[in-house]
Amino acid sequence: MKGIDISYAQDVFNWERAVETGVSFAMLKSSQGRLEYRDDSGAFEDPRFAWNAKECARLGIPFGAYHFLTCRSDAEAREEAEYFCSVIRHYAGQMSLWAAVDLESRHLPNDKETLTRYVKIFTDIVAANGFRPMIYTNTDWIRNRINLDTTVPLWLALWNSTEEYARAYNPAIWQYGLDTSFAQAVDGDLIFEEIEEETPEKKQEEEAPKVRRYPSWERFDAEEQGIADGEGEIFFRKRGILQAQFAAWSYFKSAEEEHLRED
């Protein structure tokens, strides 16, 4: 199923055009813990979230939401999760997809155990508030920055790759690159799971955790074609014990937050 993810960066997005091009779902940025290059900004709602959510509801587009995590302590992880839930709670009746935590901020720790704990705190609170948690991240973070909870659906950022390779990570959503159907730059996504309306009965059903097996470095090096610097993705390739990083996308995704509070 074809989808997109949208934030204030797309300004006044043409949702009717999205329906015309076959968009079947959307993930909307709802909130963020702090600005990327300011420690004292505090949590804030995406300026376009309310409008985007209402447009999706009006046009019958299934949608979920995501929060850009920036926490530096257990307490901040709780605060950001509660804030996220307070923002999306207003749209709980219309929001049929996941409530995702976005892992890419420069504020987040490099230590695996610490970040894994923060994310567990966050997703547990999201679930306790009646939403379906999800984790958004990329292949480097999966290998080096976090021990993923396999019971929480994965939204995988893996650009310029193949569907077969993406499926090896068992994601619920694959962010594959830019969707060029629109005037604005829009991230394209595919859902690999059927969208079903959640009922109280389904919530009570206990599912066996999915075992997620990741490709070996050998397969990664053999199949991944690479991404040219500046095309908009974080790309890591193994070089012995070193990692080469092309962080153009990381900079774009973080730098775009700088304008939010200038008005």
Side-chain angles (χ1 to χ4, degrees), residues 36-66:
E36 277 294 86
Y37 293 95
R38 278 185 55 189
D39 292 347
D40 60 347
S41 63
F44 56 91
E45 180 176 342
D46 185 284
R48 301 303 306 174
F49 174 62
W51 187 83
N52 286 332
K54 289 174 183 176
E55 283 293 283
C56 285
R58 178 177 72 86
L59 295 169
I61 302 172
F63 70 93
Y66 66 94

Side-chain angles (χ1 to χ4, degrees), residues 1-183:
M1 298 183 67
K2 175 185 175 182
I4 51 178
D5 57 276
I6 296 292
S7 73
Y8 77 93
Q10 282 73 41
D11 196 23
V12 181
F13 186 70
N14 189 339
W15 286 104
E16 292 182 353
R17 169 65 178 161
V19 173
E20 292 172 0
T21 62
V23 165
S24 300
F25 73 94
M27 294 295 289
L28 312 177
K29 182 175 181 181
S30 66
S31 51
Q32 182 164 328
R34 55 162 61 88
L35 292 172
E36 277 294 86
Y37 293 95
R38 278 185 55 189
D39 292 347
D40 60 347
S41 63
F44 56 91
E45 180 176 342
D46 185 284
R48 301 303 306 174
F49 174 62
W51 187 83
N52 286 332
K54 289 174 183 176
E55 283 293 283
C56 285
R58 178 177 72 86
L59 295 169
I61 302 172
F63 70 93
Y66 66 94
H67 174 87
F68 190 94
L69 188 68
T70 66
C71 63
R72 292 176 169 175
S73 68
D74 290 5
E76 286 188 355
R78 295 186 193 95
E79 290 169 4
E80 289 194 41
E82 294 292 356
Y83 181 77
F84 177 44
C85 291
S86 73
V87 172
I88 64 177
R89 188 171 292 118
H90 302 292
Y91 308 96
Q94 295 82 39
M95 197 178 95
S96 58
L97 301 184
W98 299 273
V101 55
D102 182 339
L103 306 181
E104 56 183 304
S105 173
R106 61 185 291 272
H107 294 292
L108 296 176
N110 290 318
D111 178 69
K112 259 191 175 186
E113 290 186 6
T114 303
L115 182 57
T116 298
R117 186 174 71 251
Y118 291 171
V119 172
K120 174 68 171 171
I121 291 169
F122 190 98
T123 55
D124 281 353
I125 290 174
V126 168
N129 277 269
F131 299 101
R132 291 186 287 169
M134 170 176 268
I135 297 171
Y136 170 91
T137 193
N138 61 58
T139 54
D140 177 75
W141 284 51
I142 289 171
R143 291 188 176 95
N144 300 308
R145 299 285 294 274
I146 184 172
N147 296 312
L148 286 179
D149 181 348
T150 58
T151 66
V152 178
L154 173 65
W155 178 7
L156 177 67
L158 182 62
W159 287 32
N160 292 13
S161 188
T162 65
E163 181 175 328
E164 180 183 6
Y165 188 73
R167 282 184 180 276
Y169 288 84
N170 195 28
I173 303 178
W174 171 35
Q175 185 185 84
Y176 59 82
L178 290 178
D179 188 321
T180 58
S181 305
F182 306 94

